[in-house]
Amino acid sequence: MEQEKKSQTTAEQMTDRDLSEQIKKVTMEIHTRAEKTELMMSFMRGQVTLAQYKLLLCSLYEVYQTLEEEMERNSNHPGVAPIYFPTELARLDAIAKDLEYFYGRDWREKIVVPAATKRYCHRLRQIGKENPVFLVAHAYTRYLGDLSGGQVLGRIAQKSMGLKSSEGLSFFAFPGVSNPTLFKQLYRSRMNSVELTEEERNGMLEEAVRAFELNIQVFDDLQKMLLTVPEQKLQTCSTQSVDTLRIPIGKTAPLFRMVMGLFVALATVSIGLYAF
């Protein structure tokens, strides 16, 4: 009996030291805040339109382009290599395929992103150059969240937008992952095997929280964009970031609530990160 207690204590201590579990704990409060917003509930009610989803894809493309470029550039780094799975997880090509489906071949000339998306990308570039191991925090919260919630979110998006096929929803599909549950176990074990100093571990946890905060800033900027830029203009804007001014909330408020619901679901991994 005594030996069983010691084994249980040892197992609990090992779990407490697991980086994946520590990230889950330190981000729980900010995750809960986002999860309980009216915006999140709006998405779960299936209130997302095609125009809103197209706008979301624009920001996702910018973020994943930066993340995947930095992951590739640092793929031999001892902290990044263990969790580098481009064949299984890369999202950029899938998002590009969706954007081309919705916007046409010249989609690169039509997309628009808020300034906060640019700031998010800047942070990814910065840590890619200065502290590559911190990319693990961003990769973990994004990829495993997308993998966990992808099928559910894809079905909701398809139904909400009235799409008759899966075209335009490639972002949610992971053809390179045959068994998501087993893959997530492998990913977490690889991630937990990364050797970190205490300083690096603390920095990693801070970066995980920062990842959520950066996404919330994107939410705020998307709100300003939707309140100040007519929907028609959003369809023809370039990839330059949009500087916005505050104006009274009018007819665009429902538009904002619906698109933000979807973005919160994806960016805070409300279905994924805390479900496995």
Side-chain angles (χ1 to χ4, degrees):
M1 179 66 70
E2 186 66 27
Q3 183 63 37
E4 290 181 0
K5 289 183 178 179
K6 287 183 179 180
S7 298
Q8 182 177 358
T9 300
T10 301
E12 290 175 350
Q13 289 175 341
M14 290 177 64
T15 300
D16 289 342
R17 291 297 296 171
D18 284 349
L19 182 60
S20 58
E21 286 299 313
Q22 290 180 333
I23 287 180
K24 180 176 178 179
K25 289 180 180 179
V26 299
T27 59
M28 192 168 292
E29 181 180 351
I30 193 168
H31 166 269
T32 301
R33 261 195 350 255
E35 187 181 46
K36 293 183 177 180
T37 62
E38 180 183 351
L39 307 177
M40 178 61 199
M41 298 307 297
S42 176
F43 169 76
M44 296 309 296
R45 286 192 293 267
Q47 298 175 326
V48 58
T49 69
L50 182 58
Q52 296 149 17
Y53 180 62
K54 288 162 67 175
L55 181 62
L56 165 66
L57 286 174
C58 296
S59 279
L60 288 177
Y61 182 84
E62 290 283 312
V63 170
Y64 275 104
Q65 180 180 44
T66 308
L67 176 60
E68 293 181 2
E69 285 179 356
E70 291 304 316
M71 291 285 289
E72 181 180 10
R73 193 167 65 83
N74 291 283
S75 59
N76 292 322
H77 187 282
V80 176
I83 54 94
Y84 184 57
F85 292 93
T87 302
E88 293 82 359
L89 297 178
R91 297 290 81 204
L92 191 63
D93 289 345
I95 299 173
K97 182 178 179 181
D98 291 341
L99 287 169
E100 182 172 348
Y101 174 76
F102 289 123
Y103 286 99
R105 293 184 178 180
D106 58 344
W107 61 268
R108 297 178 190 275
E109 301 173 6
K110 297 178 180 178
I111 64 174
V112 60
V113 299
T117 301
K118 297 293 186 180
R119 292 196 298 271
Y120 190 178
C121 294
H122 174 75
R123 178 57 184 173
L124 291 172
R125 296 286 188 204
Q126 182 181 26
I127 62 176
K129 294 178 180 179
E130 300 175 3
N131 296 290
V133 72
F134 289 173
L135 290 170
V136 174
H138 291 272
Y140 176 60
T141 55
R142 286 232 59 97
Y143 287 124
L144 288 206
D146 294 338
L147 179 60
S148 296
Q151 291 185 336
V152 174
L153 293 172
R155 286 195 295 269
I156 292 175
Q158 183 176 16
K159 183 177 180 180
S160 299
M161 296 184 291
L163 298 178
K164 296 181 180 180
S165 70
S166 60
E167 288 187 290
L169 300 171
S170 299
F171 170 73
F172 299 107
F174 287 81
V177 179
S178 58
N179 188 319
T181 299
L182 292 180
F183 181 83
K184 286 183 288 186
Q185 292 175 355
L186 171 64
Y187 193 98
R188 284 180 296 169
S189 67
R190 291 280 194 92
M191 177 178 172
N192 295 333
S193 71
V194 175
E195 295 185 4
L196 300 169
T197 65
E198 198 64 28
E199 182 179 0
E200 288 174 331
R201 183 174 293 268
N202 291 334
M204 181 81 76
L205 299 180
E206 292 176 1
E207 194 63 35
V209 174
R210 187 193 297 266
F212 276 80
E213 292 174 342
L214 287 168
N215 279 296
I216 290 174
Q217 290 173 20
V218 173
F219 306 159
D220 291 340
D221 263 23
L222 277 176
Q223 177 182 18
K224 296 173 187 176
M225 179 192 299
L226 291 166
L227 293 179
T228 59
V229 182
E231 184 174 333
Q232 294 81 358
K233 186 175 181 180
L234 289 176
Q235 303 302 321
T236 58
C237 285
S238 68
T239 53
Q240 296 298 314
S241 59
V242 175
D243 293 323
T244 58
L245 299 174
R246 293 182 179 274
I247 63 173
I249 297 177
K251 295 182 179 179
T252 51
L255 172 68
F256 163 67
R257 286 196 296 270
M258 289 185 280
V259 69
M260 293 310 301
L262 178 58
F263 203 93
V264 169
L266 293 169
T268 64
V269 264
S270 54
I271 294 178
L273 184 56
Y274 293 90
F276 62 85

